C-alpha cells in the first residue's frame, strides 16, 4: 500500500513539474489548467495525510506555506553587481572601442533588458534550495518561499548540479493589468508599473499571497561556471535551456557594434509588442575567457553594458518650490508639480538641486515645465517653456534663513549649495538618524522617516545610540503601530547590532565618508578602537582616501561627544568589529595568490564550488577554461578535454589528493 502511494506521489510530482515546464517555460501547455489543478489537489491531499512524504521540492510548495515574520538577510557568495549604462550610439561605440583596444575582436551577445528585479537562485544537487534578492549587492534577502511560487523556476533540474544562477523576476503585463483591476475594485491604490508590482509581490511575507501574483522569471547568467561546460554566454544560456530554465529567446549573437545598433533599433520599435516590459538592451562580450580578461570595476563588469531606452518627456505645471534640509545642512529646492504620468509612474516632485541651476534654467513658480526621468528613475525638470509663461511670474530666490531652525544660511566658498550650519538644527538631526538606519548603513527595516520624526519630537531619540534603548512602551503609542510591527521593529534593531564595522562607520554620517571608503577603512583597521588612534597621515596612505576625507574622519573621532556616543552604543553591544568579506588586499597564500587555476572532473572529498571558494580565499583566480596562462589544473575523476588541453600546454596538473596535501601543508 505505502509503496503504491509513494509511486503515485512520484508520478504526480513528475507530471506536475512537466506541466509547469511546458506551460511556464516553453509557453506550450499540453493539458488544460483543470487537469493540473486536479493532480495538484490529489498530491496536496496525499501529503496532508502523510506529512512524512512532504519534500522541499514538491510542486505543492508552489501554493505557498505559512507566513514568515521577516526575511533573513543573507550575504551573496559573490556580489551582485550592476551594469554601466549607455544612452546613445556614441556611448556604445566608446564601449566597443575600449574592448577592441584591450582584447581585440569579440563577439557580442545582445539580450533584452528585462524590467523587473534581479534574483539569485541556488541549486544543490539539482534541487532549488535558496533564492535571494539583490539587496545592496552584497547582502540580499532570503525570498525562497516566494520564489518557489513562480512556476517558471524549476524546483528540480535535469542534472544534479550545484551552482548559482541569476536572472530577473518580473510581472507579465497581463498579470499586472489584472492585478490593478482587482485593486481598483477593492478601492486599493494600484501599482504604478509591473516592476513595482513584482517587487511588492516578492516582498510578501505570506507566500500564499505571492502565489496569487503570477510572476515569471528570465535567467541570464551563471555565477559559478565550474559545473558548466559552456565557454561562452550564448553557450551558458543554451545550457540553462537544456537544464529546464527559462531564458529569454529574443537574444542574438552578433559580430560588430553596427549589428548591436541594429538589434537596438529593432527592439526600440518592437518593445511594445512584447508581453512584458523591457527598459533597454544588455550587450555582453560572448566569450567567458575574454570576459575574465576584461575584468570588473568596483560596481560592474567591464565586459558588458546596458543600453537604456531614451526617457519620455512630458509637460506639466510647476506649482511651488519646497525646501528640504539634508543631514549635512544642505538646503535642497524641490519642484512641486501638477502630477503627471512619466515612464510608468506618477510624478509630483523633482529635485531642482540648487539655486544656481534654477537660475541657469530660469525656472519660475507658475511655469509650464518639461520633465523627464533621468535613467528612467529620477524625475528631473529639463527646462521651462518661456513662451507659455503667464504674466507677473517672478524670478525665484532662495530664503536667507533655515526653514527648519531659522538660523542664517551660508554659502560655503567654492560650493553651489546653501547650508544651515546650526549643529542643533532639528531637520539635520532627523536626517542623520534616517541615514543611520538606511540600507547601506545599519539597514534597520521598519524605522521610516515618519516614525523617526515622531520619536525625535517625543524626545525618545536624540542621537543614533538612543535607537538601541527604545522599548515597546516607546513605540506602541506611535501612529499606525501595532504589537506585531513593534516586535518586528525591535527584532530588526537587535539584528543590526551584529552588522560589520563598515556599516556603522558609514551610518555615523562622517562628512565625505562614502560606502566604499567605509569598507576600505573598516577592513584595514578592524575595530573602532584602532581607528581612534589613527592619524591623518596614516589614513592618506590608503588608496581611495584623500586629504579631505582623512581630515574629516580624524576630526570627527577626536571629539568627546563622539567617544561618548560610541560608548553608549557599546553598552548596548553594538558590534564595532569588521566582519565583512575582504574585497581588497587579500593576503592569500604565496603559493596560490594571483595564480590562475582551473577545476575539472569529479572531486570526492569536496564539491568543485567548495574547492573554488577555498582557492579564492587564498587569492587565486578560479577560471573555467584552460589557456596558456593557466597555472594549475586540478583534475578529479573523468576529467575530459580540459585535462587534455593542460597536457598540451604543459600546465601543472594536480590530482584531488595532491590538492588536499597542498591544503594541509599550508593550513598547518
Ligand atoms: S546581466 C553584472 N542581463 O539589469 C550584472 N542583466 O544593472 C549582470 N537585467 O539589475 C547583469 N535583464 O538585474 C543582465 N539580460 C540581462 C538583464 C539584466 C535585466 C538587469 C539586472 C541588473 C540590471 C543591470
Amino acid at each position: 500500500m505505502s509503496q503504491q502511494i509513494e509511486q503515485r506521489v512520484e508520478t504526480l510530482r513528475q507530471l506536475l513539474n512537466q506541466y509547469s515546464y511546458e506551460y511556464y517555460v516553453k509557453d506550450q501547455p499540453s493539458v488544460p489548467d483543470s487537469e493540473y489543478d486536479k493532480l495538484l489537489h490529489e498530491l496536496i491531499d496525499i501529503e496532508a495525510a502523510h506529512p512524512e512524504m512532504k519534500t522541499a521540492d514538491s510542486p505543492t510548495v508552489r501554493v505557498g506555506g505559512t507566513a514568515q515574520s521577516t526575511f533573513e538577510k543573507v550575504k551573496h557568495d559573490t556580489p551582485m553587481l550592476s551594469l554601466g549604462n549607455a544612452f546613445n550610439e556614441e556611448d556604445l561605440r566608446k564601449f566597443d572601442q575600449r574592448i577592441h583596444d584591450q582584447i581585440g575582436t569579440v563577439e557580442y551577445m545582445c539580450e533584452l533588458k528585462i524590467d523587473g528585479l534581479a534574483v539569485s537562485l541556488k541549486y544543490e544537487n539539482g534541487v532549488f534550495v535558496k533564492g535571494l534578492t539583490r539587496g545592496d549587492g552584497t547582502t540580499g534577502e532570503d525570498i525562497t518561499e516566494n520564489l518557489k511560487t513562480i512556476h517558471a523556476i524549476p524546483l528540480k533540474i535535469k542534472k544534479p548540479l550545484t551552482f548559482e544562477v541569476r536572472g530577473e523576476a518580473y510581472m507579465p503585463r497581463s498579470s499586472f493589468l489584472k492585478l490593478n483591476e482587482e485593486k481598483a475594485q477593492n478601492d486599493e491604490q494600484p501599482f504604478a508599473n509591473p516592476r513595482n508590482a513584482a517587487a511588492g509581490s516578492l516582498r510578501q511575507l505570506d507566500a500564499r499571497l505571492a502565489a496569487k501574483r503570477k510572476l515569471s522569471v528570465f535567467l541570464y547568467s551563471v555565477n559559478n561556471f565550474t559545473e558548466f561546460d559552456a565557454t561562452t554566454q550564448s553557450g551558458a544560456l543554451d545550457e540553462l535551456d537544456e537544464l529546464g530554465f527559462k531564458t529569454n529567446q529574443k537574444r542574438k549573437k552578433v559580430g560588430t557594434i553596427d549589428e548591436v545598433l541594429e538589434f537596438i533599433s529593432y527592439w526600440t520599435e518592437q518593445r511594445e509588442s512584447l508581453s512584458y516590459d523591457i527598459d533597454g538592451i544588455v550587450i555582453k562580450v560572448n566569450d567567458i575567457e575574454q570576459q575574465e580578461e576584461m575584468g570588473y570595476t568596483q560596481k560592474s563588469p567591464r565586459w558588458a553594458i546596458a543600453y537604456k531606452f531614451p526617457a519620455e518627456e512630458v509637460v506639466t505645471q510647476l506649482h511651488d518650490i519646497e525646501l528640504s534640509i539634508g543631514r549635512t545642512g544642505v538646503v535642497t529646492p524641490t519642484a512641486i508639480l501638477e502630477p503627471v504620468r512619466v515612464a510608468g509612474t506618477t510624478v509630483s516632485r523633482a529635485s531642482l538641486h540648487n539655486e544656481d541651476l534654477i537660475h541657469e534654467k530660469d525656472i519660475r513658480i507658475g511655469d509650464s515645465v518639461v520633465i523627464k526621468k533621468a535613467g528612467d528613475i529620477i524625475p528631473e525638470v529639463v527646462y521651462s517653456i518661456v513662451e507659455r509663461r503667464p504674466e507677473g511670474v517672478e524670478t525665484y530666490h532662495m530664503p536667507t534663513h533655515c526653514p527648519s531652525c531659522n538660523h542664517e544660511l551660508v554659502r560655503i566658498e567654492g560650493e553651489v549649495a546653501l547650508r544651515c550650519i546650526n549643529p542643533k538644527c532639528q531637520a539635520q538631526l532627523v536626517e542623520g538618524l534616517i541615514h543611520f538606519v538606511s540600507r547601506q548603513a545599519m539597514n534597520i527595516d521598519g524605522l521610516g522617516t515618519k516614525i523617526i520624526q515622531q520619536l525625535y519630537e517625543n524626545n525618545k531619540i536624540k542621537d543614533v545610540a538612543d535607537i538601541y534603548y527604545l522599548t515597546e512602551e516607546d513605540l506602541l503609542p506611535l501612529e499606525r503601530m501595532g504589537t506585531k510591527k513593534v516586535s518586528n521593529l525591535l527584532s530588526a534593531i537587535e539584528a543590526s547590532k551584529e552588522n560589520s564595522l563598515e556599516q556603522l562607520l558609514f551610518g555615523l554620517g562622517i562628512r565625505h565618508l562614502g560606502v566604499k571608503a567605509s569598507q576600505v577603512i573598516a577592513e584595514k583597521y578592524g575595530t573602532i578602537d584602532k581607528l581612534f588612534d589613527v592619524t591623518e597621515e596614516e589614513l592618506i596612505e590608503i588608496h581611495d582616501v584623500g586629504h579631505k576625507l582623512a581630515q574629516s574622519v580624524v576630526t570627527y573621532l577626536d571629539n568627546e561627544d563622539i567617544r561618548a556616543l560610541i560608548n553608549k552604543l557599546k553598552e548596548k553591544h553594538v558590534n564595532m568589529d569588521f566582519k565583512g568579506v575582504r574585497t581588497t588586499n587579500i593576503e592569500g597564500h604565496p603559493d596560490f595568490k594571483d595564480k590562475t587555476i582551473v577545476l575539472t572532473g569529479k572531486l570526492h572529498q569536496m564539491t568543485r564550488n567548495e574547492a573554488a571558494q577555498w582557492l579564492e580565499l587564498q587569492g587565486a583566480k578560479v577560471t573555467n577554461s584552460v589557456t596558456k596562462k593557466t597555472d594549475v589544473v586540478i583534475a578529479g575523476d573523468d576529467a575530459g578535454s580540459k585535462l587534455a588541453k593542460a597536457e598540451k600546454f604543459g600546465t601543472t596538473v594536480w590530482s584531488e589528493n595532491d590538492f588536499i596535501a597542498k591544503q594541509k601543508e599550508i593550513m598547518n
Side-chain angles (χ1 to χ4, degrees), residues 552-571:
S552 166
V553 171
V554 172
T555 319
Y556 178 89
L557 291 172
D558 188 20
N559 175 319
E560 280 304 310
D561 292 344
I562 298 302
R563 293 192 185 219
L565 179 74
I566 297 291
N567 283 335
K568 199 165 150 188
L569 286 163
K570 278 185 181 169
E571 266 166 40

Side-chain angles (χ1 to χ4, degrees), residues 43 254 267 334 397 554 624:
L43 183 58
V254 301
W267 284 109
T334 301
H397 291 289
V554 172
N624 192 40

Side-chain angles (χ1 to χ4, degrees), residues 500-558:
S500 181
L501 175 61
E502 68 276 14
Q503 286 175 267
L504 175 67
L505 275 184
F506 178 64
L508 291 172
I510 304 171
R511 282 287 281 285
H512 309 298
L513 183 65
V515 174
K516 186 171 170 217
S518 307
Q519 165 90 24
V520 175
I521 292 175
E523 201 171 317
K524 168 129 183 154
Y525 292 95
T527 78
I528 195 111
D529 292 330
K530 286 225 174 92
L531 263 177
F532 277 128
D533 301 327
V534 86
T535 63
E536 260 177 68
E537 291 70 32
E538 277 168 29
L539 278 174
I540 290 173
E541 274 175 28
I542 307 177
H543 187 69
D544 294 318
V545 177
H547 175 72
K548 249 168 100 182
L549 171 58
Q551 189 181 33
S552 166
V553 171
V554 172
T555 319
Y556 178 89
L557 291 172
D558 188 20

Side-chain angles (χ1 to χ4, degrees), residues 171 176 179-180 191-202 213 215:
M171 184 176 281
F176 169 71
L179 174 63
N180 267 1
F191 280 112
N193 53 42
R195 187 179 185 286
N196 289 2
S201 309
L202 287 178
R213 294 287 180 82
L215 301 180

Side-chain angles (χ1 to χ4, degrees), residues 76-82 134 137-139 166 223 298 581 583:
H76 294 297
D77 290 345
T78 59
M80 282 184 87
L81 302 174
S82 60
R134 177 174 186 277
T138 310
T139 307
R166 292 178 178 177
N223 187 29
Q298 266 287 324
V581 175
T583 55

